[in-house]
Amino acid sequence: MGGTLVLRIEDTDQKRNTEEAVQVIYDGLRWLGLDWNEGPQMGGNYGPYFQSQRNDLYEKHLKTLQDKGVVYEDEGSIRYRSPRQPVTVRDMVCGTITFDRAMEPDMTIRRPDGSWIFHFVNVVDDIEMKITHVLRGEDHLSNTPKHIELYNALGFEPPNFAHIPLILNRDGSKMSKRDDGASISTYIEQGYSPEAVRNYLCLLGWSPKDNREVIGIDEVVSLFDLEKINRRNAAFDLDKCFWINGQYIHTMEMDRFADLSIPFIEKAGIQFGSREQLLPVLTIVKEKIKLFRDVPEWISYFFTEDFAYDEASVEKNLRKPGALEHLAALQEAFGSVSAWDAATIEAKLKETAVARGAKTGELIHPTRVAASGRSVGPSLYHMLEVLGKNRVLARMEKTIKQFGAVA
RNA sequence: GACCCUAUCGUCCAGCGGUUAGGACACCGCCCUUUCACGGCGGUAACACGGGUUCGAAUCCCGUUAGGGUCGCCA
C-alpha cells in the first residue's frame, strides 16, 4: 500500500503538554520501528507538526466558518452550529453508518482563552496536511459525523476513514494509559524485543487468517488489508506477548541478541570485558532467556569469582553423602586432561562417574553448583568449557574447602 | 438515558449455509533430558439467549441480554 506516515503532535491542551510526554511518543514509536516519514525531527512540506504552532492555519479556517455564518459566540467560546442533518459515514472497516444528527448539541471549537478544541484543529490539520486515510480507534467512530460536518462546512472532501477495534484490559475494561501493557516503556524496561511486541500488537484485531502467530513485519505489511480488520475489541494478553518474545529470541541472530542484551548487562554493573568475551557466554545462555531483563542473572557468575552459593542448591547437591568426594575425584580427573572442550569434559566426567560407580547425575549436579553456585543454568559441559579450565578447577577447590569443613 | 459498534474455548484468532467447530497463549498430563528451558504428544475448554429464514444455521434476519464507545470549553 505504501503511503506516508505523518506524525503530528496534538498539544492543544497546554496542561498536559510536557516535553517528557512528547519524548515518550518519539521513543515508543521508534522502538517499535514505526518511524514516521514526516513530522517532528523529520521535517516535511506541511509543518509545523505541533498543533500549538499552527494557530494561523486555524484562524484562517475559522474565518471561513465565520464568513459562512455557521459559528457563534457563547460565553466567550466559539461554537459551530450543526446543520442537524443526517450524516453518513463510509468506514473502510465498519461499513456505512448513518447518524441522525437532529438532537446533537453544537460543538465548541475555541475556548475563551483562544486555545482550540481537538475536533476542529484535527479536521483543519488533516485538510492542510492532505491526509488521505484516517485510521484511528473505534472510540472516534461516533465523533466522525461531527468531523464530516466540519469538512463540509470548510468546503473540503472528507478523507477515507477506518475505525479499528480498541484494546481492552484482560478483564474487558477499557485500557488506559496507566494500565499494564499500555505503555511501550514497560516493554523496553522489561526487555522485550521490539519485533516481538510489534508482532503481538499486529495480532490484536487482525490475523493472517492461516493460524500463524509468529509473523514478520514484512509479511504483515504485504498481507495487511483494512477489509480484514476485525470489528471486535480485543483484550490484551501479556502471557501471549511474553511467549512470542521467547519465540523471537529463540530464532534471533547472536549479534542482535547481544545488542539487545548489553544495555541490561551494563545496567546490572557486570564487567564483561569486551564483546568478544561476552559472546561465548551469551551463546550458551540464549536458549534460556525469555526477557532481556533476565540476562544479567543468567550470566553474572561468568564474570566474577565472588558469586553466592544458592542455599537450596547447596543443600540438595553438595550436602549429600559422597558429593564432595565425587567432586574431588572429578577435580583431579579434569586436572589431567589436556584439551578443554565440551566433548572432552563430558567424556571425562562420564568416565569418572563410571570409575566411581556413580550415576552421571551424581557428578553433574554438584559440579554445576561448584562452578556456578546454583543448580540451574546452561548445559554443564558448555558452561565449563566457556568458564575455562583454570577457573573451573579453582571453583571446585574452593567449594570442596568451603563445604567440606562443615560436612 | 439517547445514539453507535460488537458478541466462537479464560484470552487472541480461524470459520463467511452442510466441519468430529480449527490453531495459538494459559492450564493439566506424558515423552525427551545433566538442571532449567526448548521441543514433541495428548487433554480440559467456546458458537450469550430467544425467535425466525432454510431441507440444513456458529454463519443470514429480528429481538433480548451483555460488553465497549460517543454524547466535553480532554485528546
Side-chain angles (χ1 to χ4, degrees):
Chain A
M1 214 156 98
T4 303
L5 176 60
V6 181
L7 175 61
R8 180 171 74 220
I9 303 300
E10 311 200 321
D11 54 354
T12 56
D13 185 356
Q14 290 303 330
K15 292 184 287 292
R16 299 195 303 182
N17 178 25
T18 66
E19 234 166 82
E20 304 88 85
V22 178
Q23 194 59 45
V24 165
I25 292 170
Y26 298 156
D27 292 346
L29 250 21
R30 287 235 166 81
W31 187 79
L32 281 173
L34 264 28
D35 298 274
W36 53 100
N37 309 103
E38 200 180 299
Q41 304 172 346
M42 295 300 292
N45 299 324
Y46 303 99
Y49 292 90
F50 293 83
Q51 289 183 331
S52 57
Q53 298 167 19
R54 296 171 65 78
N55 196 57
D56 293 352
L57 261 5
Y58 307 141
E59 294 280 9
K60 183 180 91 182
H61 285 87
L62 172 60
K63 181 80 166 39
T64 304
L65 299 183
Q66 286 168 331
D67 291 348
K68 294 177 80 168
V70 292
V71 292
Y72 61 93
E73 197 181 311
D74 178 23
E75 291 177 18
S77 316
I78 297 178
R79 309 187 72 163
Y80 166 74
R81 182 177 288 109
S82 170
R84 297 206 170 73
Q85 292 301 309
V87 173
T88 296
V89 175
R90 294 178 205 290
D91 189 280
M92 296 176 81
V93 171
C94 303
T96 300
I97 305 159
T98 298
F99 292 80
D100 164 62
R101 305 271 301 152
M103 306 296 282
E104 291 305 313
D106 292 334
M107 69 178 129
T108 302
I109 62 180
R110 191 175 203 179
R111 304 184 187 90
D113 68 359
S115 61
W116 306 91
I117 300 300
F118 162 78
H119 301 290
F120 176 69
V121 293
N122 225 17
V123 167
V124 169
D125 285 339
D126 284 348
I127 288 169
E128 289 289 338
M129 292 180 176
K130 303 203 187 324
I131 300 299
T132 59
H133 291 70
V134 173
L135 313 200
R136 43 156 59 153
E138 193 215 77
D139 50 342
H140 279 309
L141 184 57
S142 303
N143 285 326
T144 306
K146 285 193 284 205
H147 300 164
I148 290 178
E149 283 186 356
L150 246 19
Y151 277 97
N152 294 153
L154 257 11
F156 291 88
E157 277 295 306
N160 296 293
F161 288 104
H163 290 88
I164 64 180
L166 266 18
I167 297 177
L168 309 177
N169 289 311
R170 200 51 214 269
D171 65 3
S173 62
K174 187 188 179 188
M175 185 177 259
S176 64
K177 293 180 186 65
R178 275 174 294 283
D179 285 322
D180 280 346
S183 171
I184 293 297
S185 61
T186 66
Y187 300 98
I188 301 176
E189 287 160 14
Q190 296 192 8
Y192 281 84
S193 89
E195 47 272 49
V197 174
R198 190 172 57 193
N199 185 152
Y200 175 70
L201 260 15
C202 286
L203 261 22
L204 254 22
W206 177 87
S207 85
K209 307 292 181 196
D210 58 7
N211 286 336
R212 280 182 302 160
E213 315 287 332
V214 178
I215 173 169
I217 193 65
D218 290 343
E219 204 168 354
V220 171
V221 170
S222 69
L223 256 30
F224 185 82
D225 183 358
L226 280 175
E227 319 271 309
K228 300 225 173 67
I229 293 268
N230 287 157
R231 297 173 68 175
R232 205 192 157 185
N233 290 160
F236 191 88
D237 183 359
L238 191 58
D239 284 337
K240 188 152 183 177
C241 185
F242 179 75
W243 175 78
I244 287 182
N245 195 57
Q247 296 292 305
Y248 271 81
I249 288 179
H250 202 64
T251 57
M252 187 176 283
E253 297 285 337
M254 216 23 242
D255 267 332
R256 173 76 173 150
F257 182 76
D259 289 343
L260 292 172
S261 296
I262 287 174
F264 289 90
I265 298 170
E266 288 176 337
K267 194 177 173 195
I270 293 173
Q271 308 287 321
F272 59 85
S274 66
R275 186 181 174 101
E276 285 58 46
Q277 290 169 280
L278 180 62
L279 283 179
V281 176
L282 290 184
T283 300
I284 62 172
V285 301
K286 176 168 167 278
E287 61 180 22
K288 313 292 181 184
I289 305 298
K290 307 289 276 296
L291 243 33
F292 288 98
R293 179 177 66 176
D294 298 333
V295 171
E297 175 64 17
W298 282 87
I299 69 167
S300 59
Y301 58 84
F302 282 92
F303 301 101
T304 178
E305 294 308 307
D306 184 28
F307 58 85
Y309 288 89
D310 171 64
E311 198 41 55
S313 301
V314 168
E315 195 57 41
K316 189 177 173 201
N317 300 295
L318 295 181
R319 297 195 205 286
K320 249 173 128 176
L324 293 173
E325 288 72 19
H326 287 321
L327 216 47
L330 188 59
Q331 185 198 1
E332 197 182 324
F334 279 167
S336 70
V337 300
S338 50
W340 190 256
D341 55 82
T344 304
I345 294 166
E346 176 170 5
K348 201 67 191 175
L349 185 144
K350 286 184 172 166
E351 178 192 311
T352 306
V354 170
R356 298 181 57 77
K359 284 187 286 187
T360 311
E362 290 180 79
L363 296 207
I364 284 177
H365 300 303
T367 305
R368 179 185 293 287
V369 178
S372 69
R374 56 188 78 175
S375 53
V376 175
S379 157
L380 178 73
Y381 309 124
H382 293 90
M383 180 176 116
L384 297 185
E385 178 187 323
V386 171
L387 236 19
K389 184 176 174 180
N390 292 342
R391 296 165 83 194
V392 169
L393 291 180
R395 288 182 184 191
M396 291 174 87
E397 173 89 35
K398 177 185 169 189
T399 302
I400 292 166
K401 276 196 182 135
Q402 185 167 335
F403 298 100
V406 295

